[in-house]
């Protein structure tokens, strides 16, 4: 058992419906703090849906209905007193397609600070420092330090995706959710993002959805296999790939379906 | 068959060129002959086209009328129209949205003479009661009617502009913890600004070109307006009212065509600007 203090995410009896279609079935999951956990499974198995429960972003769709509990760092996130804005400040998200805002590089990085702090609370120096440290952390500072006023949407895809990670950092999130963050990138871009994930591990808890099993194997500490909205198996990545305990997992990682 | 289709396609160009050529040809002699000075036409407010002794063709009062009525109308229609577009595209649940859009289209389909009616009977009485103005047909009345008429155009184009903002921007900002209002102010409005500006300009173009409704609601007095309760006359209303009375080929007749040229230049400039702005969006 994981001691409660080490738990980043815990779900109990989580169900989710899109209209009448049930996309998650009784998911009970415990994700450990400070490691990289990969969610894998064939398309439509509910892994992205599950990820989008953790910052409640899937409630944008009015057809979505959920039951069950989701606890982030011990706090139930569906309670009436929960402020979505605060939740999302602590749980950052990186999307499949890089989606920098149509603003300058600088404004992208400080966007989170601007929406969470009142207008006069931040000095120019603080903002500058936040930009430098966030961009340094994702390895963009050297390339972009002289081009901070460039439109972020004009950057290369790999830079865009790094920027999308960088803009989470000034908010000091506890968790970073990544929804197939490399699927729009080439081999080098994928490698760069994976390196970045390693460098962020421990300071942040990372949950990554991927359909790329090689990536899950390379880049995660623990692995969760899902099928048809159910959680099938959750173990250390090395164990899951070497000796899956469930025959469905074995078939999937052998490439029989998916 | 191919030729026929091509003819249909380029007919718009032929019509525009033809109309422009026609009104310029009708207007030109009075300027070329020096009987009416273009400078006087544009800068003098005296309009006495039928006077025996003191004939003057100064359109400034009516240029001022057109721009004051349109300007006042836009002061009301732009915030209202952009607000409605924002509500429709960002805040309204899907079902009421469909209803609202249909009603908005109905609003756009009301003939301008009917709007004129409403201004003449309903609005004018309200204005007299509320403001104590001597007459209810004045700049304010015309501007209110024009505002109501331009709102549907502004709403529909502004809503298209907002709808064209990729949803990934909204999701990105929401996932960073922005509220819906912050998403609107910090992301959507800047991202859609070109389209929104085009919406406003097309609303202005509608206002400048509108004739019947303003003819019926502005009071038709040629004077430099000093207050919103003054009666004014617009360029369009002047043409509509006087062309029937002006003997064909007379100076008066030709000056009215000159007014038409002026109107075309104004609306063309507005439309081309709007078009360039929209095109600017597509390129970026």
């Amino acid at each position: 058992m994981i001691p409660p203090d080490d738990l980043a995410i815990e779900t109990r009896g989580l169900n989710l419906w899109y209209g009448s279609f049930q996309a998650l079935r009784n998911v009970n999951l415990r994700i450990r703090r400070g490691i990289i956990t990969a969610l894998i499974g064939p398309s439509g198995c509910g892994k992205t849906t599950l990820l989008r429960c953790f910052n409640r972003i899937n409630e944008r769709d009015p057809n979505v209905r959920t039951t069950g509990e989701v606890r982030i760092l011990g706090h139930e996130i569906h309670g009436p007193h929960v402020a979505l804005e605060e939740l999302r400040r602590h749980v950052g998200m990186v999307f499949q397609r890089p989606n920098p805002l149509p603003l300058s590089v600088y404004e992208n990085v400080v966007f989170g600070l601007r929406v969470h702090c009142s207008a006069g609370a931040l000095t120019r120096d603080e903002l500058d420092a936040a930009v430098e440290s966030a961009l340094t952390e994702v390895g963009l500072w050297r390339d972009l330090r002289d081009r901070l006023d460039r439109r972020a949407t004009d950057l290369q895809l790999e830079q865009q995706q790094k920027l999308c990670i960088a803009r989470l950092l000034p908010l000091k999130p506890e968790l970073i959710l990544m929804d197939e963050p490399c699927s729009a990138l080439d081999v080098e871009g994928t490698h760069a993002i994976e390196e970045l994930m390693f460098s962020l591990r421990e300071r942040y808890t990372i949950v990554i959805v991927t359909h790329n099993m090689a990536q899950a194997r390379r880049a995660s500490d623990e692995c969760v296999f899902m099928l048809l909205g159910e959680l099938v198996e959750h173990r250390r990545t090395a164990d899951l790939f070497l000796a899956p305990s469930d025959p469905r997992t074995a078939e999937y990682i052998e490439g029989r379906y998916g | 068959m191919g030729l026929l289709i091509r003819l249909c396609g380029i007919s718009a160009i032929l019509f525009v060129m033809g109309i422009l050529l026609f009104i310029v040809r009708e207007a030109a002699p009075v300027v070329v002959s020096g009987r009416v000075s273009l400078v006087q036409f544009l800068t003098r407010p005296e309009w006495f086209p039928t006077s025996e002794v003191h004939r003057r063709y100064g359109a400034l009062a009516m240029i001022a009328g057109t721009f004051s009525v349109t300007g006042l109308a836009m002061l009301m229609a732009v915030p209202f129209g952009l607000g409605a577009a924002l509500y429709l595209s960002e805040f309204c649940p899907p079902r009421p949205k469909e209803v609202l859009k249909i009603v908005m289209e109905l609003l756009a389909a009301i003939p301008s003479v009917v709007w004129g009616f409403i201004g003449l009977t309903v609005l004018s009485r309200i204005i007299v009661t509320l403001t104590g103005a001597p007459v209810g047909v004045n700049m304010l009345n015309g501007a209110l009617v024009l505002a109501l008429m331009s709102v549907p155009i502004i709403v529909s184009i502004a809503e298209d502009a907002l709808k064209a903002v990729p949803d990934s921007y909204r999701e990105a900002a929401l996932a960073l913890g922005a509220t819906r209002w912050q998403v609107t102010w910090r992301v959507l409005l800047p991202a859609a600004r070109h389209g929104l500006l085009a919406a406003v300009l097309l609303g202005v173009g509608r206002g400048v070109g509108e004739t019947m409704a303003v003819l019926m609601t502005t009071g038709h007095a040629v004077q430099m307006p000093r207050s919103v309760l003054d009666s004014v006359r617009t360029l369009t209303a002047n043409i509509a009212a006087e062309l029937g009375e002006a003997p064909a080929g007379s100076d008066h007749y030709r000056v009215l065509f000159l007014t038409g040229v002026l109107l075309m230049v104004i609306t063309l400039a507005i439309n081309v600007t709007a078009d360039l702005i929209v095109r600017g969006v597509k390129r970026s």
Side-chain angles (χ1 to χ4, degrees):
Chain A
M1 273 321 271
I2 313 165
D5 278 357
D6 280 353
L7 267 184
I9 304 175
E10 182 178 17
T11 73
R12 285 189 202 150
L14 181 65
N15 292 293
L16 183 144
W17 290 264
Y18 291 114
S20 59
F21 172 74
Q22 187 168 6
L24 293 180
R25 294 166 188 275
N26 191 29
V27 173
N28 295 295
L29 175 66
R30 295 156 76 83
I31 288 178
R32 200 189 289 268
R33 226 167 150 161
I35 62 167
I36 301 174
T37 303
L39 304 181
I40 60 168
S43 309
C45 70
K47 53 193 190 298
T48 292
T49 301
L50 179 61
L51 191 78
R52 289 166 67 91
C53 283
F54 300 148
N55 65 349
R56 291 176 61 188
I57 195 84
N58 53 19
E59 288 172 25
R60 290 191 69 209
D61 180 346
N63 294 316
V64 163
R65 192 164 57 84
T66 53
T67 64
E69 278 179 38
V70 179
R71 287 176 181 277
I72 305 278
L73 301 169
H75 302 287
E76 167 57 47
I77 62 169
H78 288 103
H81 54 280
V82 173
L84 269 187
E85 292 77 29
E86 275 305 301
L87 169 66
R88 289 171 184 166
R89 173 184 189 153
H90 294 294
V91 184
M93 188 169 223
V94 180
F95 295 84
Q96 222 178 61
R97 283 209 63 83
N99 58 354
L101 295 165
L103 309 167
S104 67
V105 171
Y106 187 96
E107 284 302 320
N108 264 276
V109 180
V110 299
F111 187 88
L113 290 175
R114 288 208 196 277
V115 302
H116 285 287
C117 305
S118 56
L122 298 158
T123 65
R124 185 78 196 178
D125 288 345
E126 284 171 322
L127 293 176
D128 288 348
V131 170
E132 179 170 352
S133 95
L135 288 181
T136 306
E137 208 160 345
V138 300
L140 280 180
W141 179 248
R142 276 231 316 259
D143 292 341
L144 296 182
R145 61 193 301 176
D146 301 320
R147 294 181 291 168
L148 296 176
D149 53 353
R150 254 182 70 172
R151 266 176 83 89
T153 42
D154 294 340
L155 300 175
Q156 301 159 4
L157 277 180
E158 180 190 325
Q159 290 179 321
Q160 288 189 15
Q161 195 63 305
K162 285 179 175 171
L163 180 66
C164 289
I165 296 171
R167 72 181 171 193
L168 305 176
L169 304 181
L171 293 176
K172 309 208 178 348
E174 316 278 347
L175 265 106
I176 297 179
L177 311 174
M178 297 186 168
D179 184 6
E180 302 195 23
C182 304
S183 66
L185 305 181
D186 59 14
V187 176
E188 276 167 41
T190 303
H191 182 69
I193 298 290
E194 285 173 10
E195 289 288 306
L196 180 52
M197 284 166 54
F198 287 129
S199 75
L200 295 174
R201 176 168 58 177
E202 287 170 23
R203 274 172 302 154
Y204 307 96
T205 305
I206 298 177
V207 183
I208 176 175
V209 162
T210 177
H211 58 230
N212 177 340
M213 267 184 292
Q215 179 173 53
R217 199 165 183 170
R218 280 195 303 269
S220 71
D221 301 301
E222 291 190 3
C223 213
V224 177
F225 174 63
M226 294 183 66
L227 192 61
L228 300 171
E230 284 177 56
L231 192 158
V232 175
E233 193 164 347
H234 176 191
R235 302 172 65 189
R236 285 184 47 218
T237 301
D239 298 342
L240 185 125
F241 279 94
L242 279 177
S245 63
D246 192 291
R248 291 171 294 178
T249 316
E251 283 179 17
Y252 179 69
I253 60 178
E254 280 164 24
R256 302 257 187 93
Y257 56 85
Chain B
M1 202 59 201
L3 187 72
L4 209 64
I5 284 286
R6 190 179 305 171
L7 213 63
C8 295
I10 60 174
S11 63
I13 300 177
L14 294 178
F15 288 138
V16 171
M17 295 314 269
I19 290 170
L20 200 60
L21 214 68
F22 173 74
I23 57 171
V24 168
R25 196 194 66 189
E26 293 298 295
V30 77
V31 179
V32 174
S33 67
R35 296 164 64 84
V36 172
S37 128
L38 206 55
V39 175
Q40 271 204 348
F41 172 73
L42 290 173
T43 58
R44 300 301 309 171
E46 296 89 10
W47 178 258
F48 308 127
T50 52
S51 164
E52 291 296 330
V53 288
H54 189 61
R55 200 165 288 184
R56 287 286 184 279
Y57 298 107
L60 185 63
M62 291 172 294
I63 295 173
T66 287
F67 280 102
S68 58
V69 172
T70 308
L72 187 59
M74 288 305 125
L75 277 184
M76 299 183 271
V78 167
F80 193 69
L82 295 186
L86 259 184
Y87 175 70
L88 276 179
S89 99
E90 304 304 321
F91 294 91
C92 187
R95 206 161 304 161
K97 178 174 168 173
E98 289 312 307
V99 177
L100 275 173
K101 285 177 81 167
I102 291 168
V103 175
M104 205 59 87
E105 274 159 33
L106 284 179
L107 203 62
I110 295 174
S112 68
V113 67
V114 174
W115 283 114
F117 254 155
I118 293 167
L120 206 54
T121 55
V122 182
L123 284 179
S124 93
R125 233 171 284 155
I126 295 174
I127 288 171
V128 169
T129 324
L130 288 184
T131 65
V135 281
V137 281
N138 51 27
M139 189 204 295
L140 179 61
N141 194 333
L144 276 169
V145 166
L146 259 193
L148 287 166
M149 295 176 74
S150 345
V151 159
I153 296 178
I154 295 178
V155 171
S156 93
I157 295 171
E159 201 225 335
D160 283 345
L162 289 168
K163 219 168 28 188
V165 176
D167 198 48
S168 63
Y169 293 168
R170 294 182 185 83
E171 199 158 78
L174 286 173
L176 281 163
T179 62
R180 280 218 275 194
W181 277 109
Q182 285 171 330
V183 176
T184 303
W185 287 117
R186 293 180 176 276
V187 181
L188 293 177
L189 291 184
R193 65 185 186 279
H194 295 286
L196 298 178
L197 194 57
V200 170
L201 281 179
L202 288 171
V204 173
R206 173 92 168 103
V208 171
E210 175 52 37
T211 307
M212 185 49 84
V214 289
L215 173 63
M216 292 166 78
T217 55
T218 52
H220 216 54
V222 183
Q223 57 174 342
M224 294 297 286
R226 279 179 308 276
S227 107
V228 296
L229 297 176
D230 279 352
S231 289
V232 292
R233 189 187 291 190
T234 65
L235 293 165
T236 50
N238 186 52
I239 299 175
E242 293 191 355
L243 193 60
E245 312 291 323
S250 67
D251 285 353
H252 185 195
Y253 170 92
R254 297 202 185 284
V255 172
L256 289 176
F257 272 92
L258 190 60
T259 314
V261 175
L262 178 62
L263 269 172
M264 271 200 76
V265 170
I266 296 171
T267 46
L268 214 67
I270 292 169
N271 275 304
V272 168
T273 313
D275 201 53
L276 288 179
I277 289 170
V278 171
R279 224 174 281 251
V281 190
K282 289 204 184 116
R283 220 179 311 122
S284 71

